[in-house]
Amino acid sequence: MIHASHRSLRIVAATALAVAVLSGCSTIKNVFDGRGKDKSTEPTALVQISPSVSVSKLWSASLGKGEDKLGIGQHPTIVDGRVYAAAIEGGVSAFDLRTGQALWRYASELPLSGGPGAGEGLVVVGSLEGDVIALDAATGAEKWKSKVSNEVIAAPAVGGGLVFVHSNDGRVTALDAATGERRWFYSADIPALTVRGTGGMTVGPGILFVGNDNGTLVALSTTDGSPVWRTPVAEPEGRSELDRMADVDGEAVLENTTLYATSHKNHTVAIDGPSGQVMWDRGNGGARGLGVSNSAVVVTDPTGNVFGLDKNTGGALWQQSGLAYRNVSAPAIQGDFAVVGDLEGVLHWLRLNDGAFAARSSLGGAITGKPVVSDGILVVQTTEGQLAAFALQ
């Protein structure tokens, strides 16, 4: 979803603005699922496959009213064997990863859109109205509330005694994890037109890595928010604002000292974390994020193609085009497979060695948020507010 306003927007306003600024979109439905008058962009029909791996659904749960067509890409987070998830209407819920047993629920009348993020005994969520709420991870009891400058769509990050919040106006705010008081903030320039979403954040030792709507990845000192380095993931080039869109909305993946990040402008890079130097750059990618395995980096582009890239060089390993125009989510890695969801609520397992379809499972409601994997279990959230967990057999 694309928008041209960075003020705090309520649900209806955000949707209406998005439709207004996207040239050629006649309906809200077209914005989100890729359908339009041009038959060449109709979602690709799924072909019959012979599963090469058995997938079992372990459990499912309802979170409340989901994001529907807001284009937020909500997804759960998993810490210490617990799944934490939020819904636009329904509050925040905690579940046991393996059994799906409900552990607690925090009720809220606020439209919870950003997160949750979790760490250091906290679960933190943001709202479309700029609220930030910190909960006790063990009980769900409210610890504190704070306010930031704009709506919160990205999951807050927690580390080093701080909570980091990236609001939709490009500002990163660091809050004290114990009290919610502001410690510092950093602001990035925002283009006139951006993909609906806000850059994810990745916490490293003393450094916060932040993706920006202007196509850059910035490393900030967690002490005071000062930039350590700023590196383009993709250059915002082109004749129109639409052509120049280069958003980095998905969280970068930090592995040892290497960062992997991807941009809406079909670029994926590997960056040396300490220096900010680009180690390799590949002309495939998308705004929503990526998955990293032992040997491959997997990305989805805005059209719905899925690519496997060599982790060390960025060289092309394979391409899967069978999900074109299906509004494919960012990929997660589960065992020897990459997993993505689509606009019809179908999960697809792709073999990491060649990108071939290995299995499918269907859920109700579109899957726009990245699936999450922990201890071999994959958990996914739909736009209708359903949560489900899957294991490989």
Side-chain angles (χ1 to χ4, degrees):
M1 180 177 180
I2 299 173
H3 70 109
S5 174
H6 303 290
R7 294 176 301 169
S8 179
L9 302 176
R10 295 185 181 271
I11 296 173
V12 175
T15 305
L17 279 173
V19 175
V21 301
L22 183 60
S23 176
C25 283
S26 57
T27 68
I28 295 175
K29 185 176 183 180
N30 291 345
V31 175
F32 290 98
D33 65 13
R35 292 188 177 99
K37 295 180 180 180
D38 183 357
K39 296 298 182 182
S40 67
T41 62
E42 286 288 322
T44 298
L46 298 179
V47 299
Q48 193 75 19
I49 66 170
S50 298
S52 58
V53 64
S54 178
V55 176
S56 64
K57 186 177 179 180
L58 299 180
W59 54 267
S60 62
S62 176
L63 301 172
K65 179 177 172 55
E67 66 179 83
D68 196 24
K69 291 180 169 61
L70 284 176
I72 294 170
Q74 276 186 310
H75 60 81
T77 189
I78 306 173
V79 177
D80 296 332
R82 290 187 170 197
V83 180
Y84 304 103
I88 294 293
E89 297 179 14
V92 184
S93 300
F95 304 89
D96 182 88
L97 172 62
R98 297 198 172 276
T99 68
Q101 178 185 356
L103 302 175
W104 53 256
R105 173 169 288 196
Y106 170 84
S108 175
E109 295 182 357
L110 294 169
L112 301 181
S113 51
E120 300 185 2
L122 291 180
V123 176
V124 188
V125 66
S127 82
L128 288 174
E129 298 171 357
D131 304 279
V132 182
I133 306 169
L135 309 174
D136 183 276
T139 66
E142 184 179 308
K143 304 284 283 187
W144 49 260
K145 282 185 179 178
S146 190
K147 199 86 171 178
V148 293
S149 56
N150 207 293
E151 62 180 342
V152 181
I153 296 177
V158 185
L162 296 171
V163 171
F164 306 100
V165 183
H166 195 183
S167 50
N168 215 36
D169 55 0
R171 175 176 287 196
V172 176
T173 304
L175 305 173
D176 187 286
T179 65
E181 295 180 2
R182 193 180 80 181
R183 295 305 181 202
W184 54 258
F185 71 88
Y186 164 86
S187 292
D189 294 332
I190 296 181
L193 194 64
T194 73
V195 176
R196 173 67 165 167
T198 307
M201 297 173 290
T202 303
V203 180
I207 298 290
L208 180 71
F209 302 102
V210 184
N212 295 311
D213 289 342
N214 59 17
T216 63
L217 187 73
V218 62
L220 304 177
S221 167
T222 57
T223 302
D224 58 8
S226 59
V228 178
W229 52 255
R230 185 183 294 104
T231 298
V233 177
E235 296 289 350
E237 300 172 335
R239 299 182 62 182
S240 69
E241 295 288 352
L242 192 63
D243 291 335
R244 289 192 288 272
M245 287 167 54
D247 304 54
V248 182
D249 281 350
E251 294 178 13
V253 174
L254 177 63
E255 193 172 273
N256 296 321
T257 60
T258 302
L259 277 166
Y260 300 92
T262 189
S263 161
H264 177 77
K265 206 171 178 62
N266 288 329
H267 269 271
T268 299
V269 297
I271 298 173
D272 177 67
S275 68
Q277 293 298 309
V278 174
M279 300 164 66
W280 57 255
D281 182 344
R282 178 72 185 183
N284 301 113
R288 288 179 169 173
L290 40 70
V292 179
S293 75
N294 290 334
S295 59
V297 175
V298 183
V299 295
T300 55
D301 72 10
T303 302
N305 296 303
V306 187
F307 298 90
L309 309 176
D310 184 277
K311 185 176 176 180
N312 295 317
T313 67
L317 298 176
W318 48 263
Q319 176 179 341
Q320 174 55 258
S321 300
L323 301 175
Y325 303 106
R326 295 189 64 85
N327 199 21
V328 179
S329 74
I333 306 298
Q334 186 180 28
D336 296 326
F337 305 91
V339 189
V340 296
D342 72 16
L343 79 171
E344 293 179 338
V346 181
L347 279 170
H348 306 267
W349 281 259
L350 311 179
R351 294 197 306 239
L352 280 173
N353 62 342
D354 60 7
F357 289 111
R360 286 198 188 114
S361 186
S362 184
L363 300 170
I367 300 167
T368 59
K370 180 179 179 177
V372 182
V373 177
S374 180
D375 293 333
I377 297 175
L378 179 138
V379 185
V380 65
Q381 182 173 343
T382 75
T383 58
E384 293 185 357
Q386 293 297 309
L387 199 66
F390 296 85
L392 303 175
Q393 299 300 303

